[in-house]
Amino acid sequence: MNISDGELMEGMLAEQGYEIVRRPEDADVVLVNTCAIREHAETRVLGRVSQLNGLKRERPDLVIGVTGCMAQRLGTTLLEQAPYVDLVMGPDGYRSLPESLERIAARRSTRARTQLAVLELHPTENYQGLEQLRSEGPVAWVPVQRGCDHRCTFCIVPYVRGPEKNRDAREVVNEVEGLAARGVSEVTLLGQTVNSYRSGEVDFPSLLRCVARVAGVRRVRFTSPHPNDVTPELVEVMAEEPAVCEHLHLPAQSGSDRTLRRMLRRYTVDELRAKVELVREAIPDIAISTDIIVAFPGETDAEFRDTLELMRTVRFDEAYTYKYSLREGTPAARLPAEDFVGADEAQARLEELIEVARGIQAEINAAEVGRVEEVLIENPGRQGGQVLGRTRRNKVVAFDGDTARVGEYTRVELRHTTGATFVGVEVSATAGALA
Ligand code: SAH
């Protein structure tokens, strides 16, 4: 979502005549777009911004802005903490970005205080009409929804991005048609709980079907869905539409009913398992990934073991694992002090979870060695003469190939796995057709 928002800000500024440069040393304005989901992300931003202050000492005209969720969360406190920051702007402020930069410039010419905060949340701002400046390439992010109506007790998103706001379906489809006309063949629909999308008569399964049928679109993905909105209708569209990739991100968060209840996730472990079964029955070859939080306040060792049990039985293809991070203002932050799991215990749980998750991932991937898969070449590889691509099931494959072929589809035999990713060999067109 943040990559996508960065492109959106670039698009708005480019339209106003700004030129986008890649090095802060070359810029008159530097915007640091931020995430507030965990403390770690925020700490890194503070470090980055203070580095930029070094540049500003050499060039006092430099405008430094902090945008996005952390800006929204810290607001004017950030301006006090980092007096060299000129602009803090939350996610709903992007529309006024060019005007805000002009205001800063105008204030500077009068030598007035230049710091500006744009922090209002607009319940109706759905970012309609704002065009992203996308980098060249075969893949594109397409936000269809902003904000969130859930109240998962650990999560800061509803407080920094406001309530759920959905884009008009027609506009989404038009945008995807435009992208396809420019050579984009893979799109990822984005939203905080993307599958609760609804705009007028159009719900998420119908939107997904429309996007999947846009001529030229060969792959469609979406993230992040909420398990409760993984409905039979959605699974039917995923199974029926050839363009929808055989991959589902299904954030479980925990394998303990008590923890899930206290997280206000609104499903039980059995209900989650039923979703996995529903999806696997309709799309047997599907890859499923997940997000897990360990050491949520009050999580006992036995409850953590329940999460390990969920991992061992569901066998996710990939797991993004996190230690609970206290976010001021969220309901979980107000739980009794004695509930908070100690740092060492949290770290130990995280490490154990990672070991189990990686072990399963390595086993699943080892069993896939020998398969021939369709791969979209997305990037040059780390080594010269190599390219990186992804399979429909979202697995990364490195293989020998010319970087000029980014954007092409080819067939690759998976020869070896590092555990998380694959090394492959391209098969010739005829061999590919036989496989
Ligand atoms: N809206 C998305 C979540 C985006 S954040 C969804 O519901 O799927 C991505 C992941 O970060 C979450 O799924 C969760 O596992 C993790 N996360 C969110 N808040 C967190 C917190 N306070 N501490 C640790 N991990 C957190």
Side-chain angles (χ1 to χ4, degrees):
M1 187 63 97
N2 270 9
I3 295 174
S4 173
D5 278 358
E7 292 176 344
L8 192 133
M9 286 185 265
E10 289 185 350
M12 298 184 59
L13 293 178
E15 194 175 299
Q16 297 290 316
Y18 284 83
E19 187 191 335
I20 312 297
V21 293
R22 290 295 149 199
R23 292 173 356 128
E25 291 78 8
D26 301 332
D28 302 312
V29 178
V30 179
L31 301 177
V32 180
N33 193 34
T34 62
C35 175
I37 204 84
R38 281 173 298 276
E39 193 180 355
H40 179 64
E42 295 195 348
T43 318
R44 285 177 49 198
V45 168
L46 291 174
R48 184 85 187 97
V49 173
S50 79
Q51 268 178 9
L52 289 172
N53 188 35
L55 272 186
K56 192 163 180 162
R57 279 203 210 95
E58 291 164 27
R59 281 197 291 128
D61 283 350
L62 181 70
V63 174
I64 301 178
V66 179
T67 59
C69 293
M70 174 185 173
Q72 185 70 38
R73 196 179 84 78
L74 295 178
T76 47
T77 333
L78 187 68
L79 293 179
E80 282 155 29
Q81 256 182 44
Y84 40 85
V85 167
D86 303 283
L87 172 70
V88 292
M89 177 175 275
D92 275 0
Y94 299 155
R95 201 178 282 280
S96 73
L97 180 60
E99 180 201 318
S100 302
L101 291 176
E102 270 166 38
R103 269 170 67 187
I104 291 172
R107 286 189 195 179
R108 276 199 173 165
S109 61
T110 65
R111 298 182 191 280
R113 185 182 154 87
T114 61
Q115 284 188 310
L116 180 65
V118 183
L119 298 167
E120 268 144 89
L121 287 174
H122 300 281
T124 54
E125 171 61 284
N126 65 356
Y127 299 62
Q128 207 139 294
L130 303 183
E131 272 223 25
Q132 284 167 248
L133 182 76
R134 294 188 166 90
S135 47
E136 292 286 308
V139 302
W141 305 104
V142 179
V144 303
Q145 175 193 67
R146 302 282 175 164
C148 188
D149 278 348
H150 286 256
R151 286 293 177 274
C152 303
T153 53
F154 51 80
C155 189
I156 191 76
V157 169
Y159 311 96
V160 287
R161 284 190 179 262
E164 180 183 315
K165 292 148 282 195
N166 293 297
R167 264 176 86 189
D168 177 61
R170 192 65 248 168
E171 188 178 315
V172 172
V173 174
N174 284 345
E175 181 173 5
V176 173
E177 284 168 352
L179 289 168
R182 278 187 19 210
V184 169
S185 64
E186 175 179 316
V187 294
T188 302
L189 305 181
L190 292 178
Q192 291 300 332
T193 55
V194 68
N195 53 339
S196 66
Y197 173 94
R198 174 173 279 280
S199 174
E201 292 297 293
V202 186
D203 61 5
F204 187 70
S206 344
L207 179 73
L208 185 63
R209 200 186 284 282
C210 292
V211 168
R213 290 188 177 176
V214 169
V217 168
R218 207 159 141 171
R219 289 182 170 187
V220 183
R221 304 178 189 277
F222 55 92
T223 200
S224 268
H226 190 283
N228 287 5
D229 290 309
V230 174
T231 57
E233 294 72 32
L234 173 57
V235 175
E236 194 181 305
V237 173
M238 291 177 71
E240 281 176 7
E241 291 300 326
V244 179
C245 288
E246 293 75 29
H247 169 235
L248 178 68
H249 186 61
L250 193 68
Q253 311 300 1
S254 165
S256 147
D257 278 339
R258 192 182 80 103
T259 305
L260 287 173
R261 204 161 50 240
R262 298 172 65 251
M263 287 176 164
L264 205 61
R265 285 294 287 178
R266 305 170 203 263
Y267 52 80
T268 63
V269 178
D270 280 348
E271 283 162 354
L272 186 83
R273 287 183 193 280
K275 299 287 178 181
V276 172
E277 270 167 38
L278 176 76
V279 176
R280 283 186 174 156
E281 210 160 281
I283 311 160
D285 198 32
I286 196 159
I288 305 183
S289 53
T290 196
D291 291 342
I292 301 283
I293 300 176
V294 299
F296 179 77
E299 182 189 72
T300 64
D301 187 61
E303 286 162 359
F304 168 63
R305 309 262 141 228
D306 290 340
T307 297
L308 294 181
E309 178 62 17
L310 178 75
M311 303 300 286
R312 291 194 180 103
T313 46
V314 170
R315 297 178 64 79
F316 293 102
D317 290 79
E318 184 163 25
Y320 299 87
T321 53
Y322 309 104
K323 261 188 295 191
Y324 170 74
S325 172
L326 185 149
R327 307 283 63 207
E328 232 33 273
T330 59
R334 296 190 287 273
L335 287 167
E338 63 269 23
D339 274 3
F340 287 83
V341 179
D344 291 347
E345 178 61 28
Q347 183 62 27
R349 287 183 194 175
L350 181 68
E351 283 170 20
E352 194 173 349
L353 173 70
I354 290 175
E355 197 179 310
V356 170
R358 286 206 183 138
I360 293 164
Q361 180 180 43
E363 281 171 20
I364 294 175
N365 288 346
E368 287 176 11
V369 168
R371 284 169 68 138
V372 175
E373 298 256 353
E374 179 199 87
V375 170
L376 166 58
I377 305 176
E378 291 181 31
N379 287 300
R382 268 174 228 112
Q383 291 163 32
Q386 269 207 340
V387 288
L388 287 176
R390 270 182 309 152
T391 69
R392 291 177 56 87
R393 303 168 70 248
N394 210 32
K395 310 247 169 158
V396 173
V397 191
F399 57 100
D400 287 341
D402 189 337
T403 55
R405 293 175 58 207
V406 166
E408 276 181 33
Y409 288 82
T410 184
R411 295 184 68 79
V412 175
E413 183 183 329
L414 309 179
R415 284 281 176 88
H416 169 77
T417 176
T418 60
T421 63
F422 289 91
V423 177
V425 175
E426 214 172 343
V427 294
S428 71
T430 41
L434 288 175

